[in-house]
Amino acid sequence: QRRVHGVNPWLVLLLEPLHGIAFTCMWAASVTYMSSIAPPGLETVAQGILSAAFGGAGPLLGSIIGGFVYDHYGAVMLFRGSSIVVLSVLGIFVVLQRTVSYSTDNDARTVTQREVVECLAEASSDVVEMSPVDTKPLVR
């Protein structure tokens, strides 16, 4: 058996079930959180924004940027760079959680989470209104 740095690579299979549990908990929390901050009637828009960010924009940008870094700098730099990005985002998150005050009322000094979701929903509805939809059948 081939060993990488003295460790059997098959041992990763023991950790893989933890990924399933962690992903399930993360997704359930994300869906619940988006539903709780969405204004009444816009819960599905909030879920759509979550799905688009997680299933669309994230993998698209990750694949493009990751492929470029891998091709030009190698796998080691890709994983080091990814670690730096993740730790930086964690640091920003911690700072924002401690410094930004969120309010559930209409206080002029703070932006509520509901206002952010409403703004995103309004922007997405504007895009839908601007996009022409061809309703003609593709096959005649």
Side-chain angles (χ1 to χ4, degrees):
Q1 266 186 6
R2 184 167 183 218
R3 293 183 177 269
V4 179
H5 299 289
V7 178
N8 186 346
W10 286 97
L11 291 176
V12 75
L13 295 178
L14 297 174
L15 296 176
E16 191 58 28
L18 296 177
H19 175 262
I21 294 168
F23 179 82
T24 302
C25 292
M26 181 278 307
W27 191 252
S30 298
V31 168
T32 303
Y33 180 72
M34 290 301 281
S35 180
S36 71
I37 66 169
L42 293 178
E43 293 88 356
T44 55
V45 173
Q47 298 301 326
I49 293 169
L50 173 65
S51 294
F54 187 81
L60 175 70
L61 291 174
S63 297
I64 292 170
I65 295 169
F68 177 82
V69 171
Y70 184 84
D71 283 345
H72 289 84
Y73 302 104
V76 172
M77 285 303 293
L78 173 64
F79 285 99
R80 284 184 183 160
S82 298
S83 299
I84 291 169
V85 168
V86 168
L87 290 174
S88 299
V89 170
L90 175 64
I92 292 168
F93 172 77
V94 168
V95 167
L96 288 176
Q97 285 296 104
R98 292 176 186 251
T99 59
V100 175
S101 66
Y102 292 100
S103 174
T104 56
D105 60 356
N106 288 329
D107 187 3
R109 292 171 284 140
T110 60
V111 176
T112 65
Q113 294 170 342
R114 286 187 187 273
E115 290 170 335
V116 172
V117 173
E118 287 172 354
C119 179
L120 290 171
E122 185 177 315
S124 67
S125 68
D126 290 344
V127 170
V128 170
E129 289 172 8
M130 293 172 16
S131 302
V133 177
D134 187 9
T135 57
K136 297 176 193 169
L138 296 175
V139 180
R140 297 176 196 250

